[in-house]
């Protein structure tokens, strides 16, 4: 007999089959749902016919609700497709959206006819209470913290749920994914790389970051025993050889990190993580020993801008000189710094962009192995900020290239339009002129050919060397404009683009 309540959890297709990593959001939700009912996971990154697979599952088995995990960008269109199909074939089945997109754009999500409930923030407790309620034995809807819901008189946003330090004490239910080894990836870290999230949240409240909007500056480390159990399983039961840590900010306070690093040093699985320049610079010698022993290969850090005023305005809490210093430190320590930038801010757009290009050149001089990610600065709509940060009037109003105010989408279908997908992916903004858009594209082409990423596993070393040689004169003489020959060569070599296929 199907356990009750039974929930179908869906991760709509967002990545290529090769880039699929464990759908950690659904695994975490499933672990909690299965304590009082049942759940099944469909991962569109692996089951490529996500809509067909969902409809077949709904024919085969009885489900009381469908939960869809949605982040902004290309996920939204895929989430709409699967939710529409469910609504059409099973009009009475409740559809629940959760994840970053509904947390940051709750009203837009509930404006859609194919979403009934939106869960904001961490989903485990809210979702299990909601499915129990729908099944007739849980709390009343208005009692479920973190839930936004529709009713005859409109939409109600229940109060938010306080940050939870994690309810999981045991291993994630990896076997719900079929053979979890299907998620092994060949990366620069190893031939069987897996994804894991140890700590939750981030204590910083940068105004542009979805994580700050989701967690409001809270963070929690995992219980040590559970962390060890996960690594033990991933390495010794599954045979994984390296890990991408999806933690929002891996190195938080050193004292707290040391015990985790000690565990990792025993497993010696090469790893990648999100970090901050100030945190790496402040690590003690003891911590660095553990970092090296545990085999940290690459750390992604938001350098964002060479302009201290902009870093202050976005509440980044780091300085440009720290980006330069971390490039040098990482060179000495044998760790690759992957530094991301946000060019073309709404004010002083061109000048800031050119300054960033020069700063990137400085970094490359200090450490040619720095990996550079160039994003367009696309601030979150005011309504997406965490409630603590809303209405403080910090961000100036945004205008498009014609001087008209920028109006953000009000439905998921609008968010799925190409210009808003690009906005969510930090790939384009309404205030960019064609000339500047072209200039950024050309700079990135020259840079990535001159310094091909180590993350590319397809192009041969000779092809990368050839590209680099071709790009050398353009880079040296700053002749970025219209690098048609590199465009052609790129089509043959097809280098991986970490800003698209990475995280
Ligand atoms: C893995 C990942 C991806 C994977 C895809 C993951 C997938 N769904 O298959 C890939 C690499 C494809 C990806 C792509 C992008 N990503 Co991404 N990604 C992540 C990452 C590193 C981990 C997500 C994760 O698994 N977390 C662990 C789980 C446990 O947490 P969770 O997902 O938040 O889930 C919890 C809640 O959100 C909620 N929840 C989630 N789903 C559901 C569903 C239901 C029904 C319910 C009730 C609740 C619920 O409950 C869960 C448990 O508490 C996060 C950063 C992070 N550490 O979270 C960024 C992150 C989510 N990505 C982000 C972004 C912006 C993107 C992009 C759209 C843009 C970009 N440039 O990075 C790209 C798209 C690129 C492209 N051009 O295609 C942002 C989102 C912020 C925002 N403003 O919306 C994040 C936060 C990174 C960041 N700091 O900016 N990403």
């Amino acid at each position: 007999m199907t356990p009750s309540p039974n929930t179908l959890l869906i991760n709509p297709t967002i990545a290529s089959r090769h880039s699929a990593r464990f759908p950690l959001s659904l695994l975490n939700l499933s672990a909690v749902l299965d304590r009082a009912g049942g759940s099944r996971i469909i991962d569109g990154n692996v089951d490529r016919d996500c809509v067909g697979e969902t409809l077949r599952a709904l024919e085969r088995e009885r489900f009381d609700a469908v939960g869809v995990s949605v982040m902004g960008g290309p996920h939204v269109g895929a989430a709409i497709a699967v939710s529409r199909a469910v609504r059409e074939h099973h009009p009475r089945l409740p559809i629940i959206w959760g994840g970053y997109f509904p947390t940051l754009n709750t009203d837009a999500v509930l404006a859609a006819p194919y979403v009934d409930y939106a869960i904001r923030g961490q989903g485990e407790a809210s979702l299990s209470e909601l499915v129990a309620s729908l099944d007739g034995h849980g709390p009343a809807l208005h009692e479920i913290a973190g839930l936004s819901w529709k009713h005859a008189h409109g939409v109600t946003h229940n109060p938010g749920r306080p940050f939870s330090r994690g309810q999981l004490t045991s291993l994630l239910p990896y076997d719900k994914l079929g053979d979890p080894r299907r998620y092994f990836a060949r990366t620069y870290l190893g031939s069987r790389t897996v994804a894991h999230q140890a700590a939750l949240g981030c204590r910083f409240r940068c105004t542009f970051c979805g994580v700050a909007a989701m967690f409001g500056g809270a963070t929690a480390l995992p219980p040590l025993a559970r962390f060890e159990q996960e690594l033990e399983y991933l390495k010794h039961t599954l045979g994984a050889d390296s890990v991408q840590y999806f933690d929002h900010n891996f190195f938080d306070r050193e004292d707290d990190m040391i015990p985790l690093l000690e565990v990792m040093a025993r497993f010696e699985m090469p790893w990648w993580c999100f970090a901050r320049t100030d945190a790496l610079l402040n690590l003690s010698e003891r911590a660095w020993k553990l970092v090296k022993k545990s085999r940290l290969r690459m750390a992604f850090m938001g350098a964002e801008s060479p302009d201290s005023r902009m870093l202050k305005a976005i509440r980044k809490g780091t300085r440009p000189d720290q980006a330069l210093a971390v490039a040098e430190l990482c060179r000495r320590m044998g760790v690759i710094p992957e530094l991301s930038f946000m060019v073309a801010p709404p004010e002083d757009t061109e000048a800031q962009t050119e300054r960033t290009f020069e700063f990137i050149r400085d970094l490359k001089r200090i450490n040619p192995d720095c990996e550079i990610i160039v994003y367009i600065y696309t601030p979150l709509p005011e309504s997406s900020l965490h409630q603590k940060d809303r209405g403080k009037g910090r961000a100036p109003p945004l205008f498009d290239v014609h001087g008209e105010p920028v109006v953000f989408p009000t439905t998921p279908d609008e968010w799925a339009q190409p210009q808003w997908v690009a906005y969510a992916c930090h790939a384009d903004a309404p205030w960019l002129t064609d000339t500047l858009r072209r200039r950024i594209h050309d700079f990135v082409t020259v840079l990535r050919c001159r310094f091909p990423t180590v993350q590319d596993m397809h192009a041969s070393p000779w092809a990368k060397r050839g590209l680099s040689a071709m790009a050398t004169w353009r880079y040296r003489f700053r002749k970025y404009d219209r690098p048609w020959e590199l465009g052609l060569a790129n089509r043959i070599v097809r280098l991986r683009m970490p800003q698209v296929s990475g995280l």
Side-chain angles (χ1 to χ4, degrees), residues 107-243:
D107 285 315
V109 162
L110 288 176
Y114 42 77
V115 185
D116 303 307
Y117 303 95
I119 283 176
R120 308 174 330 258
Q122 294 172 288
E124 290 86 344
S126 308
L127 182 62
S128 45
E129 287 177 20
L130 174 60
V131 294
S133 171
L134 295 173
D135 202 42
H137 58 267
L141 289 178
H142 69 268
E143 291 170 350
I144 302 175
L147 174 68
S148 292
W149 49 294
K150 285 184 206 172
H151 44 77
H153 310 292
V155 165
T156 294
H157 301 289
N158 294 351
R161 187 172 286 273
F163 177 68
S164 155
R165 308 207 150 253
Q167 323 182 11
L168 284 173
T169 44
S170 54
L171 209 61
L172 285 176
Y174 293 101
D175 50 354
K176 299 205 82 142
L177 303 173
D179 181 0
R181 292 178 187 84
R182 293 193 297 170
Y183 285 87
F184 283 170
R186 194 170 78 86
T187 69
Y188 57 97
L189 297 172
S191 51
R192 296 180 304 280
T193 306
V194 285
H196 181 66
Q197 168 139 7
L200 278 182
C202 174
R203 124 183 110 77
F204 296 90
R205 305 229 311 265
C206 312
T207 55
F208 62 91
C209 182
V211 173
M214 180 92 158
F215 292 95
T219 185
L221 294 172
L224 212 55
R226 166 154 188 255
F227 182 49
E228 201 162 0
Q229 188 190 16
E230 290 273 340
L231 290 189
E232 176 72 35
Y233 171 82
L234 294 172
K235 179 165 179 174
H236 296 300
T237 307
L238 286 190
D241 63 3
S242 43
V243 188

